[in-house]
Amino acid sequence: MTQTMRTTLLFALVAVLIIGTGIVQSWNSALFILNMGLVSAVMALGVNLQWGLAGLFNVGIMGFVALGGLAVVLTSTPPVTEAWAAGGLRIIGGLVLGALSIALAILTWQKAPRKWRGYAVAAIIIGGFFLFRAVFDPGVAAVEAYDAAISGNLGGLGLPVLLSWPMGGLLAAGAAWFIGKTALGLRSDYLAIATLGIAEIVIAVLKNEDWLARGVKNVIGLPRPVPYEIDLQNDPAFVERAASLGLDATTASTLWVKLQYSLLLTAVLVLILVLAQLSRNSPWGRMMRAIRDNETAARAMGKDVTKRHLQVFILGSAICGIAGAMMTTLDGALTPTTYQPLRFTFLIWVMVIVGGSGNNLGAVLGGFLIWFLWVQVEPMGQALINGITMGMGDGALKDHLQDSVQHMRLLTMGVVLLVVLRFSPRGLLPER
Amino acid sequence: MDLLNALVAFGNFVFVPAVAYGSQLALGALAVTLIYGILRFSNFAHGDTMALGTMVTIIATWGLQSLGISLGPLPTALLAIPVGIAFTAVLVLGTDRLVYRFYRKQKVAPVIMVIVSIGVMFIYNGLTRLVLGPDDQNFADGERFLISARDFKAMTGLSEGLAIRTTQVLTVVTAILVVAALFWFLNRTRTGKSMRAYSDNEDLALLSGIDPERVVRVTWIIVAALATIAGVLYGLDKTYKPFTYFQLVLPIFAAAIVGGLGSPLGAIAGGFVIAFSEVAITYAWKKVLVYALPEPLEPSGLMQLLSTDYKFAVSFVILVIVLLFRPTGLFKGKSV
C-alpha cells in the first residue's frame, strides 16, 4: 500500500467515525468531536514541529495551551476601568520592576568581574524581590477587592475575540523564549523536567493570580466569534430555514453555531498545516532534520544548533498557544482547574506518537483519532461494563465497576501508546 | 523566653514538617536515581508506581482492620506494607518483562524510554483510578500525636506548642532504616556491588560476567520497595490522592537532579534541599519573627515569600539554578 493511499484511507476512517457518531449518537456530539479534534490536531502539529522535526522533548504543552486560554481573557474581555484605577499601575510597575531586576542580575553576571559577581547577583535578586513585592502586593489587593463577585481582575483589552488567537500564540512564544533560553542545550530529560515544571507553574499562576484572570473563580461568558443560539432562535428567517430542513429551531441553532466554529477552526488548521508542510520541505526544514539526526555533524557544518532549537521550540509552542486560545474560545470560559497534565500534555504526545512523529499529516490524523477514542472510550466502556455486570446482583462491586468506567480512558490511552510504540514505532503514517 | 518560643514555632512549622517531607522525597529520589543509574532513563511513571503500591497497601490495611488486627499506637498500614511491596514488585517486574526489556535489547535512545514510561504512567494511573477511584482515601490509624501541642505547652510552660505526629517520627525512622539497609546492600553485598559496577561501566561489568538481567530485576524490586514505602509514608503523613502522587514526580525529579542523577547520596541530600526550601519559602514567617525580633521591628504582614500554591515553583527554580551552574548536580552524578 502506498503512503498516499494509506493516508487517504486513514483520513476516510476518521470521517466515517465522525459521521458514524452523528448517525448513531447525535450530530451535536459528532460536531463536538470534530471541533475538539481540530483543536487537538493543531496542538499535535505544534508538538510534531518540536519533536518530529527537531527532536525536542517538550512535556509542558499544558502550560502553553493554558497561556493561549489566558490570552483570550486578556484580549477579548472589556477592561475593568475601576480596577485599573485602583491598582493597575502598581501591578504593571511591580512586574516591570521584577523584570528589570532579573535583567540587571543577568547583566551583572555577564559583565561584572568574577570575584564578587555571585554576591552582587544574589543581592540584586533578593532586593529586587522585596521591591517587587512592596510595589506589587498593594496593587493586587486593591484590584482584587474591586467587585470581587463579578470581576476582581483587570479585565482585558476589549478587542475582537479572533485577535486573541494570534495573541495566544505570541504569549506562548514569549514564555517559550524564556524557557528555551534557560533549558535548551541541556540534556533531553532535563528539558522534559524543566518544561513539566513550567507548565505546573503556569497553571499555579492562573489559579492564584486573581487579578489576572480571576483564578479559580473562572472567567465565563467570553465573547464569541459566532452568533449566539438564542439570537438565532429569535430570528424568524433562521427558524423558517430550519423548518424547511425539517429541524426544530433549538437543534438547528446549536448545530449551526458548532458548524461555524468548525469552519473557523478548519481554516486555522489548514493554514498551519500548509505552513508546516512548506517549512518542512524548505531548506530550513532539511536543516532541522539534519540537526535532529546528527547534531554533531550539523554543528560541524556550521549550523547554530542552539539557536535553531530555540527557534523551533518557540514556533511549536506558539502553535500550542494558538490551539489553546481556540479551545478557550470554543468553550467560552477559562477554567484553570480543568488543565490536567494527562489530558493536555501527555494525551497530545499520544496523538503525535500514534499518528507518526515527523509527519505533519500523521500528527493531524493522530489528533483526530486519539481525540475520538478519548471521547468514545467512555460509552464503549460503559457498554462493556454493563455486559459484564448484567448477571451480577446489585451490590458494592457492581456499583464500583459502574463508577470506574470513566477512568477506563487513561488505561486505554496507555495501552494504545505502548502497542503503537512496540509494533509500529514510527506511527500510523511514518515519516518519509 | 521569646527566643525559645521562636525556636519552637520554627521547629513546629518548618523543621519537623520539612524533615518528614524531605525523607519522603529522598526515598522517591533514591528510586528514580537507581533506575537512572542502572536502566539509564528518567522514569516518569514513578509517581504512579508509588500511588499503586500505596493503593495495594491501603486495601491490605482495610483488610487487616476488618479482621481486627492493629499495631496499637502505630498505624496498621505498617503491617500491610510487605503486601504492597510484593504486589508492586510483581507489577514492575511484569512491566519490565513486557515493555521495557524490548527497548533495552534494542538499545534505544533514553528519550524513547521516557516516552515508553509515559505509556506505563497512563496505565498505572488508570489502574489506580479503576480500583480505588480518584478521591482522597484515609487509612491512617493508631495514635495521632507523639507529642501534642497542648502537652508540650504544659510540659515546658512555653506559649508555643510543638506538635510531633506519629507519622512524622515514623517517616524519619523508616527512612533512616531503609536508607541504611540500601547502602549496606549496595556497598557490602555481592549483588549490590555488581549493581554499582553495572551502573558505572556497563561493558566492563558485562565482561566480568555480571548478568545484566539479574541486575535489572534486583533494581526493579528495590525500586518497588522504595516506591511503596515512600508512597505509604507520604499517604500517612499527608493524604492519599492519586493525583498528588502524580504531581510528586516533579519535586522527586528535582531532588534527584539537584543531588546528581545516579548518585544515591545525592538523592538524599537533594530531597532535603528541596523539602527545606519548599517549606521555608512558602511558610508565613510572621509568628517566628514576632517572637524573635524586638517590638519595633515586628513585621506587620505575613512575611510569606510565596503562597503555598507555588511550591512547585520553588523546586523548579532550585532545579534550574543547579542545572545552570552545576549541571551534574551537587554530588557529581552522571551526565549522559
Side-chain angles (χ1 to χ4, degrees), chain B residues 35-118:
Chain B
I35 296 182
Y36 189 84
I38 309 281
L39 292 131
R40 298 187 164 79
F41 75 97
S42 308
N43 184 13
F44 270 60
H46 192 71
D48 291 298
T49 314
M50 280 166 65
L52 257 177
T54 314
M55 176 193 84
V56 177
T57 313
I58 289 177
I59 292 171
T61 310
W62 287 341
L64 288 174
Q65 282 168 346
S66 67
L67 291 176
I69 301 170
S70 83
L71 271 180
L74 292 174
T76 319
L78 283 187
L79 273 181
I81 281 185
V83 183
I85 293 178
F87 179 87
T88 316
V90 170
L91 184 83
V92 291
L93 284 174
T95 312
D96 183 76
R97 177 71 187 76
L98 274 174
V99 183
Y100 293 122
R101 198 173 79 157
F102 174 77
Y103 300 96
R104 192 161 60 241
K105 293 269 182 265
Q106 289 190 332
K107 294 208 181 297
V108 295
V111 70
I112 302 294
M113 285 297 253
V114 175
I115 296 179
V116 172
S117 80
I118 288 175

Side-chain angles (χ1 to χ4, degrees), chain B residues 243-312:
Chain B
F243 188 63
T244 47
Y245 279 68
F246 169 75
Q247 284 185 318
L248 266 184
V249 166
L250 198 64
I252 284 179
F253 266 110
I257 294 176
V258 165
L261 267 177
S263 151
L265 210 61
I268 297 169
F272 284 102
V273 168
I274 297 287
F276 269 90
S277 336
E278 250 185 41
V279 176
I281 289 178
T282 55
Y283 172 63
W285 287 90
K286 185 181 180 191
K287 199 166 203 172
V288 175
L289 291 180
V290 164
Y291 282 120
L293 296 177
E295 205 144 332
L297 282 179
E298 274 176 17
S300 54
L302 281 171
M303 296 308 285
Q304 187 181 19
L305 290 175
L306 276 178
S307 113
T308 35
D309 300 290
Y310 288 123
K311 57 178 192 228
F312 291 117

Side-chain angles (χ1 to χ4, degrees), chain B residues 10-295:
Chain B
F10 171 79
N12 191 27
F13 294 108
V14 179
F15 188 76
V16 175
V19 168
Y21 182 42
S23 317
Q24 291 146 10
L25 283 188
L27 290 179
L30 264 176
V32 163
T33 236
L34 271 180
I35 296 182
Y36 189 84
I38 309 281
L39 292 131
R40 298 187 164 79
F41 75 97
S42 308
N43 184 13
F44 270 60
H46 192 71
D48 291 298
T49 314
M50 280 166 65
L52 257 177
T54 314
M55 176 193 84
V56 177
T57 313
I58 289 177
I59 292 171
T61 310
W62 287 341
L64 288 174
Q65 282 168 346
S66 67
L67 291 176
I69 301 170
S70 83
L71 271 180
L74 292 174
T76 319
L78 283 187
L79 273 181
I81 281 185
V83 183
I85 293 178
F87 179 87
T88 316
V90 170
L91 184 83
V92 291
L93 284 174
T95 312
D96 183 76
R97 177 71 187 76
L98 274 174
V99 183
Y100 293 122
R101 198 173 79 157
F102 174 77
Y103 300 96
R104 192 161 60 241
K105 293 269 182 265
Q106 289 190 332
K107 294 208 181 297
V108 295
V111 70
I112 302 294
M113 285 297 253
V114 175
I115 296 179
V116 172
S117 80
I118 288 175
V120 173
M121 175 186 87
F122 265 109
I123 292 183
Y124 285 5
N125 199 308
L127 275 179
T128 315
R129 288 173 189 230
L130 269 181
V131 177
L132 214 54
D135 302 325
D136 279 336
Q137 306 289 347
N138 187 11
F139 63 106
D141 54 4
E143 204 67 49
R144 205 167 144 61
F145 288 103
L146 198 67
I147 308 171
S148 77
R150 193 186 297 159
D151 293 346
F152 185 85
K153 281 184 207 165
M155 223 154 55
T156 57
L158 290 173
S159 52
E160 271 304 311
L162 178 69
I164 297 183
R165 292 208 300 274
T166 325
T167 52
Q168 287 169 331
V169 179
L170 202 65
T171 300
V172 177
V173 172
T174 318
I176 292 173
L177 289 178
V178 168
V179 168
L182 181 68
F183 275 79
W184 173 82
F185 174 78
L186 286 178
N187 292 323
R188 294 274 180 269
T189 64
R190 220 179 143 73
T191 321
K193 281 180 189 165
S194 68
M195 277 173 67
R196 283 192 304 137
Y198 185 82
S199 160
D200 281 346
N201 189 333
E202 194 179 336
D203 295 332
L204 212 56
L206 292 180
L207 273 178
S208 344
I210 290 172
D211 176 9
E213 286 305 309
R214 190 176 125 86
V215 168
V216 167
R217 275 198 304 273
V218 174
T219 309
W220 277 119
I221 293 172
I222 296 175
V223 165
L226 286 173
T228 309
I229 294 172
V232 171
L233 291 177
Y234 186 86
L236 283 173
D237 191 27
K238 304 211 163 70
T239 165
Y240 177 80
K241 195 174 181 183
F243 188 63
T244 47
Y245 279 68
F246 169 75
Q247 284 185 318
L248 266 184
V249 166
L250 198 64
I252 284 179
F253 266 110
I257 294 176
V258 165
L261 267 177
S263 151
L265 210 61
I268 297 169
F272 284 102
V273 168
I274 297 287
F276 269 90
S277 336
E278 250 185 41
V279 176
I281 289 178
T282 55
Y283 172 63
W285 287 90
K286 185 181 180 191
K287 199 166 203 172
V288 175
L289 291 180
V290 164
Y291 282 120
L293 296 177
E295 205 144 332

Side-chain angles (χ1 to χ4, degrees), chain A residues 84-407:
Chain A
W84 271 102
L89 285 181
R90 279 196 89 102
I91 289 185
I92 302 293
L95 291 176
V96 169
L97 268 177
L100 277 181
S101 41
I102 291 176
L104 187 65
I106 294 173
L107 208 68
T108 316
W109 182 258
Q110 283 165 351
K111 299 279 189 268
R114 283 193 87 89
K115 255 196 220 159
W116 47 266
R117 64 175 187 180
Y119 303 104
V121 167
I124 291 170
I125 293 280
I126 293 169
F129 180 77
F130 282 102
L131 200 62
F132 158 75
R133 287 290 297 259
V135 176
F136 184 72
D137 285 0
V140 169
V143 168
E144 286 176 4
Y146 174 75
D147 207 359
I150 298 170
S151 66
N153 68 337
L154 286 176
L157 299 171
L159 295 171
V161 67
L162 280 183
L163 262 183
S164 68
W165 297 5
M167 285 291 277
L170 281 179
L171 204 58
W177 178 82
F178 193 71
I179 303 163
K181 270 287 180 196
T182 40
L184 283 175
L186 295 169
R187 296 181 18 215
S188 56
D189 4 8
Y190 287 181
L191 177 68
I193 307 290
T195 46
L196 193 71
I198 286 279
E200 289 292 344
I201 293 173
V202 168
I203 302 301
V205 168
L206 276 191
K207 279 183 185 164
N208 291 296
E209 301 302 314
D210 286 11
W211 58 272
L212 196 60
R214 304 196 68 221
V216 286
K217 290 184 285 181
N218 305 339
V219 181
I220 51 168
L222 288 168
R224 289 163 63 160
V226 295
Y228 284 88
E229 286 90 345
I230 190 76
D231 294 340
L232 288 175
Q233 286 159 26
N234 291 335
D235 177 10
F238 180 82
V239 176
E240 202 173 304
R241 240 180 315 148
S244 69
L245 286 170
L247 292 166
D248 66 292
T250 322
T251 324
S253 61
T254 49
L255 289 183
W256 177 234
V257 166
K258 283 209 164 75
L259 207 59
Q260 279 178 307
Y261 269 124
S262 311
L263 291 176
L264 269 174
L265 299 174
T266 313
V268 176
L269 174 65
V270 168
L271 181 73
I272 292 179
L273 181 63
V274 167
L275 287 177
Q277 279 297 45
L278 285 177
S279 67
R280 199 191 118 82
N281 298 326
S282 68
W284 182 82
R286 282 198 296 278
M287 172 183 63
M288 292 313 302
R289 278 178 285 158
I291 293 177
R292 176 195 69 188
D293 292 338
N294 192 337
E295 227 171 85
T296 324
R299 205 177 299 239
M301 298 297 287
K303 304 298 176 200
D304 191 338
V305 174
T306 318
K307 242 189 194 146
R308 294 290 86 76
H309 273 170
L310 184 64
Q311 205 173 33
V312 81
F313 186 70
I314 291 176
L315 280 175
S317 307
I319 294 177
C320 290
I322 295 174
M326 300 197 316
M327 194 187 71
T328 304
T329 313
L330 194 61
D331 291 345
L334 180 72
T335 30
T337 42
T338 53
Y339 289 100
Q340 302 276 339
L342 282 172
R343 159 72 183 88
F344 284 102
T345 296
F346 297 111
L347 190 68
I348 311 298
W349 267 97
V350 179
M351 292 170 182
V352 174
I353 303 282
V354 170
S357 38
N359 186 333
N360 288 323
L361 282 174
V364 173
L365 177 80
F368 280 113
L369 269 185
I370 295 298
W371 176 252
F372 178 83
L373 201 60
W374 178 259
V375 175
Q376 296 293 19
V377 159
E378 209 170 311
M380 288 194 275
Q382 189 74 53
L384 181 77
I385 294 282
N386 282 341
I388 293 174
T389 54
M390 197 135 50
M392 275 185 210
D394 286 332
L397 182 64
K398 184 169 180 175
D399 288 346
H400 182 80
L401 283 174
Q402 297 275 11
D403 281 347
S404 57
V405 168
Q406 48 175 320
H407 306 301

